[in-house]
């Protein structure tokens, strides 16, 4: 059964916040975070009569296509945010270096 995309996205945010609160910045690794993400287990239930998946936690009711669609959209949003953070980090590190050189 697929994991509920809505609940998974919410859970990821929670896990990431906890990880960042508990792990020093220099000890953080994306792989560690992804490993924690892999442990998320919020399977949806299949309603065989209507061929829809149901999430008992948030009540999401969707076909397999809709589930993938929602997951894709949520991932896209996450990716855009990460790219922006990377840009910011790059800019920040560069400006820090420039400050040291001056
Ligand atoms: Zn859900």
């Amino acid at each position: 059964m697929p994991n509920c995309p809505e609940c998974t996205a919410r859970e990821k945010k929670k896990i990431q916040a906890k990880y960042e609160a508990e792990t020093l910045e220099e000890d953080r690794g994306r792989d560690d975070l992804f490993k924690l993400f892999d442990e998320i287990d919020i399977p949806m239930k299949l309603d065989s009569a209507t061929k829809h998946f149901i999430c008992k936690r948030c009540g999401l009711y969707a076909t397999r296509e809709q589930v993938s669609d929602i997951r894709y959209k949520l991932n896209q949003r996450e990716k855009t945010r990460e790219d922006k953070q990377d840009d910011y980090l790059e800019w920040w590190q560069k400006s820090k270096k420039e400050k040291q050189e001056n």
Side-chain angles (χ1 to χ4, degrees):
M1 290 298 130
N3 274 341
C4 170
E6 294 277 1
C7 289
T8 303
R10 254 197 299 272
E11 203 64 25
K12 277 184 182 176
K13 243 174 256 166
K14 252 189 267 169
I15 289 174
Q16 186 163 6
K18 189 167 179 273
Y19 180 75
E20 286 177 0
E22 290 174 351
T23 316
L24 289 173
E25 203 163 349
E26 55 265 38
D27 294 334
R28 285 181 208 157
R30 257 183 205 196
D31 289 346
D32 289 342
L33 202 54
F34 286 155
K35 240 177 262 164
L36 293 171
F37 286 169
D38 279 345
E39 286 168 19
I40 297 173
D41 189 30
I42 311 164
M44 299 178 83
K45 219 172 161 293
L46 177 66
D47 178 8
S48 52
T50 59
K51 298 268 187 295
H52 276 63
F53 290 99
I54 303 158
C55 174
K56 286 204 163 173
R57 214 190 267 204
C58 72
L60 181 71
Y61 181 77
T63 62
R64 187 180 282 276
E65 285 73 28
Q66 285 166 334
V67 168
S68 337
D69 200 43
I70 294 167
R71 185 180 297 130
Y72 176 77
K73 278 182 191 149
L74 288 169
N75 281 342
Q76 286 301 104
R77 209 187 301 161
E78 210 52 43
K79 228 181 255 167
T80 330
R81 203 179 312 145
E82 261 173 35
D83 288 346
K84 270 191 201 135
Q85 276 178 354
D86 281 352
D87 285 349
Y88 175 76
L89 199 67
E90 212 172 277
W91 166 84
W92 185 78
Q93 281 169 342
K94 219 173 98 187
S95 76
K96 196 166 76 171
K97 218 178 135 207
E98 274 164 15
K99 267 180 217 147
Q100 283 168 350
E101 279 164 5
N102 288 334

